[in-house]
């Protein structure tokens, strides 16, 4: 069959529009209109973050954006590092529509993990003896395991002003905080089940592909600008090297409604904006919350996960050393201070630390931070605080690489 002039021109317009958007956002970054890079390395990281968000936008809108036949896209991980991901969480997102009903089925892979599906947590999801579960997802309330979506949701086109990459459906978070356990991989699937659900997806057409590329372009423009400008705004709002108290509002996000469980907020955040010379360090001291899990994680200037495989850039409640007085002490620096809770900046002068307290019951501690020289770290620690030599550090990193490889390659 012949290809019409109109078909060729519609595809050309969509394709060229996407290429123009890449060129436009990159120019904004290079010319200093997007973000606030201070040197060539930070500008290179900014351009890399733009390229990664462009790849995410295309993959999402071309392959994971049919709310009639939704698929879970794994994101904010070793492939897509944007958005300040917690290295202990696997994030899955599926596009949905508000006038449809969906059945989400899965298995969390055994004890040792937690899962969050919409407003539900694993401990209020009825589960079979073998760990299988089923959750209904819809705008209208349903009996049993059910979580709501907005009735006006249009999952194939939705791009919200905040969190533009996460607003067109449902997000599932699976928490893997015990890295020492070799757990089964678990699984998730979701399908539309209401009477209006079509039997099969439509064949690809020029109109459909052009619309997908146009939508990917809009998503890319929103995501690249919002995420990278958000990081710059957080730095503008907070003094460097001072840790903030815990809050239910994520840094740089306004009018955020925190998720609740049993009338309590289930997540508290705090940040620290880094600006460290090569011979400087930040010592953080904190009491610990009484919830099931907490974490401290480093990010680069653009709220991306840095090299999580080859550097110790995060620690959680199962991994971190706790001193005899019940406090945890972390050291952020470029040089190895020889302590167990070292968070390695990789030589970057600026970036972020993000800590999270998950589902605390009563205790919501406020960490404190001190800026000091790396050579002064040991004297600032308790006398019985362990020392870590080069061999022990290599062994820790080797184990970390293996644990993350097992998790991400499944």
């Amino acid at each position: 069959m012949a290809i019409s002039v109109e078909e060729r021109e519609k595809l050309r317009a969509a394709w060229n529009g996407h290429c123009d958007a890449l060129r436009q956002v990159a120019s904004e970054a290079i010319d200093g209109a997007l973000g606030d890079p201070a040197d060539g390395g930070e500008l290179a990281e900014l351009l890399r973050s733009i390229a990664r968000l462009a790849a995410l936008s295309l993959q999402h809108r071309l392959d994971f954006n049919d709310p009639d036949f939704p698929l879970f896209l794994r994101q904010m991980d070793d492939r897509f590092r944007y958005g300040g991901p917690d290295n202990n969480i696997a994030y899955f997102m599926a596009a949905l529509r508000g006038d449809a009903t969906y059945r989400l089925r899965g298995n969390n892979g055994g004890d040792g993990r937690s899962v969050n599906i919409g407003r539900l947590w694993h401990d209020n999801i009825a589960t079979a003896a073998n760990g299988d579960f089923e959750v209904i997802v819809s705008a209208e309330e349903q009996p049993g395991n059910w979580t709501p979506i907005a009735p006006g949701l249009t999952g194939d086109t939705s791009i919200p002003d905040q969190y533009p990459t996460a607003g067109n459906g449902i997000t599932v978070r699976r928490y893997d905080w015990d890295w020492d356990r070799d757990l089964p991989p678990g699984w998730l699937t979701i399908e539309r089940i209401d009477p209006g659900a079509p039997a099969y997806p439509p064949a690809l057409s020029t109109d459909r592909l052009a619309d997908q590329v146009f939508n990917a372009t809009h998503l890319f423009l929103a995501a690249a600008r919002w995420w990278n400008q958000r990081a710059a705004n957080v730095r503008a709002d907070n003094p460097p090297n001072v840790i903030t108290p815990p809050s239910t509002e994520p840094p740089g996000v306004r009018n955020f409604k925190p998720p609740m469980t049993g009338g309590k907020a289930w997540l508290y955040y705090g940040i620290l904006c880094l600006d460290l010379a090569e011979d400087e360090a930040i010592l953080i001291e904190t009491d610990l919350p009484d919830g099931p899990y907490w974490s401290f994680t480093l990010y680069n200037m653009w709220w991306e996960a840095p090299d999580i495989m080859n550097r110790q850039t995060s620690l959680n409640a199962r991994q971190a050393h706790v001193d005899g007085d019940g406090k945890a002490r972390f050291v952020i620096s470029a040089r190895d201070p020889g302590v167990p809770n070292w968070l390695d900046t990789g030589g970057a002068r600026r970036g972020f630390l993000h800590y999270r307290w998950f589902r605390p019951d009563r205790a919501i501690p406020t960490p404190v931070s001190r800026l000091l020289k790396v050579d002064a770290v040991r004297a600032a620690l308790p006398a019985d605080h362990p020392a870590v030599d080069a061999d022990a550090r290599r062994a820790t990193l080797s184990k970390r690489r293996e644990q993350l490889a097992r998790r991400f390659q499944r």
Side-chain angles (χ1 to χ4, degrees):
M1 296 191 306
I3 304 172
S4 71
V5 173
E6 290 78 9
E7 289 174 317
R8 293 186 192 275
E9 291 311 309
K10 186 164 187 177
L11 289 172
R12 190 192 312 278
W15 194 265
N16 288 346
H18 194 77
C19 294
D20 289 344
L22 279 169
R23 189 179 299 109
Q24 179 181 350
V25 175
S27 294
E28 291 173 10
I30 293 169
D31 294 339
L34 176 63
D36 58 349
D39 56 38
E42 290 181 356
L43 177 56
E45 286 188 335
L46 175 55
L47 286 173
R48 184 178 63 185
S49 78
I50 290 168
R52 287 170 170 169
L53 286 168
L56 168 68
S57 300
L58 278 174
Q59 184 176 44
H60 186 266
R61 283 343 200 200
L62 268 62
D63 296 321
F64 292 87
N65 196 42
D66 186 344
D68 292 328
F69 296 90
L71 296 170
F72 278 110
L73 170 65
R74 200 186 82 196
Q75 54 173 346
M76 297 172 67
D77 55 14
D78 60 328
R79 294 175 295 177
F80 300 125
R81 303 186 181 194
Y82 76 97
D86 187 322
N87 296 333
N88 309 282
I89 302 175
Y91 301 82
F92 303 90
M93 182 175 66
L96 306 180
R97 49 189 291 173
D99 60 354
T101 299
Y102 301 88
R103 178 172 56 220
L104 186 157
R105 296 181 296 123
N107 189 299
N108 213 28
D111 293 337
R113 287 198 183 107
S114 177
V115 67
N116 167 227
I117 301 171
R119 71 177 190 181
L120 299 175
W121 277 86
H122 71 285
D123 49 7
N124 52 31
I125 297 174
T127 303
N130 67 350
D132 288 354
F133 57 80
E134 181 177 300
V135 175
I136 300 300
V137 183
S138 62
E140 295 185 1
E141 187 170 356
Q142 306 284 338
N145 296 332
W146 169 75
T147 194
I149 53 175
L153 185 64
T154 54
D156 52 347
T157 58
S158 302
I159 303 175
D161 293 334
Q162 296 193 121
Y163 294 109
T165 47
N168 73 332
I170 189 168
T171 297
V172 176
R173 297 172 179 86
R174 189 178 69 202
Y175 296 78
D176 296 275
W177 52 65
D178 192 348
W179 292 19
D180 284 329
R181 296 188 62 180
D182 190 15
L183 295 171
W187 57 274
L188 284 171
T189 185
I190 188 168
E191 60 182 332
R192 184 177 172 188
I193 59 171
D194 60 274
Y200 300 99
L204 187 64
S205 64
T206 55
D207 284 348
R208 182 173 174 80
L209 180 62
D211 288 344
Q212 289 173 334
V213 174
F214 276 127
N215 196 248
T217 301
H218 294 312
L219 177 61
F220 162 67
L221 288 169
R225 289 170 175 158
W226 188 82
W227 279 111
N228 289 309
Q229 194 56 50
R230 177 200 178 196
N233 293 344
V234 171
R235 285 189 292 276
D237 291 344
N238 294 277
N241 302 328
V242 178
I243 200 162
T244 67
S247 171
T248 58
E249 184 173 88
V253 179
R254 301 293 181 261
N255 302 315
F256 179 78
K257 185 177 181 181
M260 308 289 284
T261 299
K264 296 181 179 180
W266 59 259
L267 178 57
Y268 289 79
Y269 308 82
I271 63 159
L272 187 151
C273 300
L274 299 171
D275 192 349
L276 291 176
E278 192 274 337
D279 65 340
E280 291 180 326
I282 293 174
L283 173 62
I284 297 171
E285 298 182 340
T286 185
D287 294 315
L288 300 176
D290 56 3
Y293 163 68
W294 48 264
S295 68
F296 282 70
T297 307
L298 290 183
Y299 302 115
N300 71 8
M301 276 280 291
W302 312 112
W303 222 267
E304 291 185 308
D307 186 350
I308 64 174
M309 288 280 190
N310 300 303
R311 297 183 184 276
Q312 185 169 277
T313 59
S314 65
L315 289 165
N316 70 32
R318 304 293 180 92
Q319 299 165 328
H321 169 78
V322 178
D323 285 316
D325 60 1
K327 295 180 183 291
R329 294 173 172 87
F330 302 86
V331 178
I332 308 171
S333 60
R335 285 167 40 194
D336 190 343
V339 298
N341 295 347
W342 175 41
L343 295 171
D344 181 0
T345 68
R349 182 180 181 100
R350 298 198 296 170
F352 296 97
L353 170 90
H354 203 175
Y355 71 88
R356 296 169 169 91
W357 303 146
F358 279 84
R359 301 180 73 184
D361 186 18
R362 297 174 304 279
I364 306 174
T366 297
V368 296
S369 59
R370 278 193 285 166
L371 178 66
L372 66 169
K373 297 294 186 182
V374 177
D375 292 341
V377 165
R378 176 53 59 181
L381 296 170
D384 60 349
H385 193 84
V388 175
D389 62 19
D391 288 341
R393 186 73 71 200
R394 279 192 292 270
T396 297
L397 292 175
S398 177
K399 181 180 180 182
R400 180 183 181 91
R401 280 189 288 270
E402 178 184 339
Q403 290 169 326
L404 287 168
R406 286 203 309 265
R407 175 174 154 194
F408 287 131
Q409 290 174 10
R410 284 173 168 165

